[in-house]
Amino acid sequence: MKKCYLAFEIGSMQKTIYPLFGPTTIGRSADNTITLPDPTTSRNHAKVNFVDGVWTVEDLGSANGIICGGKRVERAILKSGDTFRIGGVTFRFIEKDFVEGSDQLFETVEILTAAAKEQHTSGFDMGEEVKEEEKGEETKPWSERLQDAVAAIPFFAPLDENDRKELADTATLHVFDAGEVIIREGDPGRSIYVILEGWVRVFTRDHHGEELELAALGASQFFGEMSFLTGKPRSGSVAAIDTSVVIELSYNNMRKVVKAHPTVKKVLLEYYEKRMGSTEKKRAEVEKKDPRADSRGKIRLPIKLVVLPKTTPTGKVKPSSWEAVSVDLSTTGIVVAVPALSADAFHVESEVRLEIELPERWGEIRSLGIIHRVKPAMTEKKMILVGIKYVGMADADNKKLSEFLSGA
């Protein structure tokens, strides 16, 4: 039996291997099978498909095309080991023979390791045993530790061995280096992630844009269940503390599991409620200690918000201007409420220009900023909350803002 994969990496850290089961679209838009956050990638860039007995990659009318063998192509037949480039990402097509009943998840790990070594991108050897003298005790080979981790995952417990294998075999495998962001607060997405190796940290941001640490998670623990259960954007960010191996279980596959095994949903709900309670408690503790919680930062002020244009392969996107009001104002950032129908109008890491109308004594101040958080307002319909961190405020305006907030 043959199975096929696409091995690729985003940037210099995240390594991914994606199992191919049918038509697979690649592009910048979130509705693609594989989404690439790359400005040189078109919204719907390419499609990998099994046609007439062969796997092919086909251009979907993209601006920058598909590069194979140093040349732009409209369509190419893929053979095991072939590579092609879309934007700044190089994909390697891998075809692998499997013996019926073999442990395909472990085989997939080995494929990812080999692909990473071929491209000289990873110094993390997942097949290597840790030397006893380094740890001071006997350790298991990586494959056995992986098996133990999968068996220990809480929501896998109600599944029998065949169900676990089926779910794991359809998972997407990622490797993240230290500091790499796995999911970002406010982003869409309903996958659940399971840590097989390494450590990650979960964090959010308070009203002033400061990081609030929520948890550190290790092997056999999972995250992402909040968005899976509620359908809402990610409620927090997760980043790798050290080199971490993570499997991503898609929403569609997990939905099938939950439907067939209601006890899985019960486990997920228990963790969701526990984690929500812990997050709310930590937020309350921070607000109680924060002397600015009842300060002038809560006064609603008129704001003009301009989202600055970005250069894309098809040209420049025009700037958009919004009339907004401040919800939370500090010396490092601001949260504004914008009358918008959809959060899609704003994107994390976009550059903005702010005009903040302070009371008459201080007057208008201006600043450049970076959007770090976007979410719907919970109490007002058709309002979007946009969190912005200042990145360019004149000293005179910064002084005015400090005086206003301190009541000087």
Side-chain angles (χ1 to χ4, degrees):
M1 180 177 66
K2 291 183 180 293
K3 294 194 72 172
C4 298
Y5 303 85
L6 287 180
F8 60 99
E9 54 172 78
I10 298 174
S12 61
M13 290 182 283
Q14 177 187 334
K15 293 89 179 172
T16 295
I17 184 162
Y18 186 88
L20 294 170
F21 295 100
T24 301
T25 58
I26 304 170
R28 199 174 70 252
S29 175
D31 60 5
N32 287 283
T33 315
I34 298 174
T35 302
L36 300 180
D38 183 346
T40 62
T41 302
S42 296
R43 291 181 60 82
N44 299 102
H45 199 111
K47 179 169 70 173
V48 176
N49 199 7
F50 191 69
V51 180
D52 296 330
V54 294
W55 284 96
T56 64
V57 58
E58 178 183 357
D59 194 348
L60 297 179
S62 66
N64 293 323
I66 302 168
I67 307 301
C68 288
K71 297 180 180 180
R72 179 167 177 167
V73 299
E74 295 296 320
R75 182 177 181 272
I77 294 175
L78 298 173
K79 297 179 181 179
S80 189
D82 285 352
T83 62
F84 60 91
R85 182 164 56 84
I86 293 177
V89 179
T90 298
F91 292 81
R92 181 180 296 275
F93 176 76
I94 299 169
E95 190 173 61
K96 177 77 174 177
D97 285 313
F98 284 101
V99 178
E100 188 68 38
S102 67
D103 200 327
Q104 295 175 15
L105 178 58
F106 299 160
E107 296 261 7
T108 303
V109 173
E110 293 174 6
I111 292 171
L112 179 61
T113 307
K117 285 180 177 178
E118 285 180 24
Q119 296 179 9
H120 305 288
T121 56
S122 175
F124 181 52
D125 187 354
M126 292 178 285
E128 185 178 29
E129 294 187 28
V130 181
K131 294 180 180 179
E132 291 183 22
E133 58 267 27
E134 292 177 350
K135 291 292 184 180
E137 58 183 13
E138 184 178 354
T139 57
K140 298 179 180 179
W142 199 91
S143 60
E144 290 185 29
R145 288 185 283 133
L146 175 57
Q147 188 172 16
D148 291 344
V150 170
I153 295 168
F155 59 77
F156 273 172
L159 279 61
D160 61 29
E161 184 177 354
N162 289 333
D163 288 334
R164 288 200 297 268
K165 281 178 60 63
E166 182 177 350
L167 182 61
D169 289 343
T170 58
T172 302
L173 188 69
H174 303 278
V175 178
F176 295 91
D177 280 354
E180 178 81 356
V181 175
I182 301 170
I183 60 175
R184 196 180 301 275
E185 185 174 3
D187 281 355
R190 300 186 68 177
S191 299
I192 291 180
Y193 296 80
V194 180
I195 305 163
L196 298 181
E197 183 86 352
W199 284 87
V200 306
R201 67 187 185 97
V202 184
F203 62 97
T204 184
R205 293 185 182 274
D206 62 21
H207 293 303
H208 306 288
E210 302 297 327
E211 284 190 6
L212 173 61
E213 296 289 339
L214 299 177
L217 305 176
S220 302
Q221 294 182 292
F222 61 92
F223 54 91
E225 78 287 347
M226 293 185 183
S227 293
F228 173 79
L229 292 169
T230 66
K232 295 180 180 179
R234 299 298 186 184
S235 59
S237 298
V238 180
I241 296 174
D242 55 11
T243 302
S244 300
V245 183
V246 177
I247 59 171
E248 179 182 357
L249 305 173
S250 73
Y251 172 72
N252 288 335
N253 286 337
M254 280 301 300
R255 186 175 59 175
K256 293 176 185 176
V257 170
V258 167
K259 186 175 180 180
H261 303 275
T263 49
V264 172
K265 185 174 183 179
K266 182 180 178 182
V267 173
L268 292 175
L269 280 169
E270 289 174 354
Y271 274 81
Y272 165 72
E273 292 170 358
K274 181 180 178 181
R275 288 173 174 175
M276 276 295 295
S278 176
T279 300
E280 290 171 359
K281 181 179 178 181
K282 288 185 179 182
R283 282 189 181 278
E285 289 173 352
V286 169
E287 290 178 4
K288 186 176 180 180
K289 294 177 182 178
D290 192 344
R292 297 173 295 183
D294 297 317
S295 71
R296 292 183 176 186
K298 302 294 184 180
I299 298 175
R300 293 209 163 193
L301 301 169
I303 309 291
K304 183 177 181 181
L305 172 64
V306 179
V307 180
L308 300 179
K310 282 189 173 182
T311 300
T312 69
T314 56
K316 274 195 173 184
V317 179
K318 293 181 179 180
S320 56
S321 179
W322 304 83
E323 298 297 327
V325 294
S326 64
V327 175
D328 199 350
L329 180 66
S330 77
T331 56
T332 58
I334 187 173
V335 178
V336 299
V338 186
L341 294 176
S342 171
D344 292 340
F346 306 94
H347 301 282
V348 172
E349 296 187 358
S350 291
E351 296 182 350
V352 299
R353 185 173 68 246
L354 290 162
E355 297 176 10
I356 306 170
E357 193 65 43
L358 296 178
E360 187 174 347
R361 174 184 168 187
W362 293 277
E364 181 185 87
I365 62 173
R366 300 183 178 187
S367 180
L368 294 176
I370 298 291
I371 296 176
H372 68 77
R373 185 180 185 186
V374 180
K375 70 175 185 177
M378 300 299 291
T379 56
E380 299 180 60
K381 293 182 179 179
K382 300 180 181 178
M383 296 292 285
I384 304 299
L385 296 181
V386 182
I388 300 165
K389 184 177 181 179
Y390 308 136
V391 294
M393 182 181 292
D395 290 342
D397 284 348
N398 191 29
K399 183 178 179 181
K400 289 180 184 179
L401 178 58
S402 298
E403 289 176 351
F404 166 70
L405 290 172
S406 65

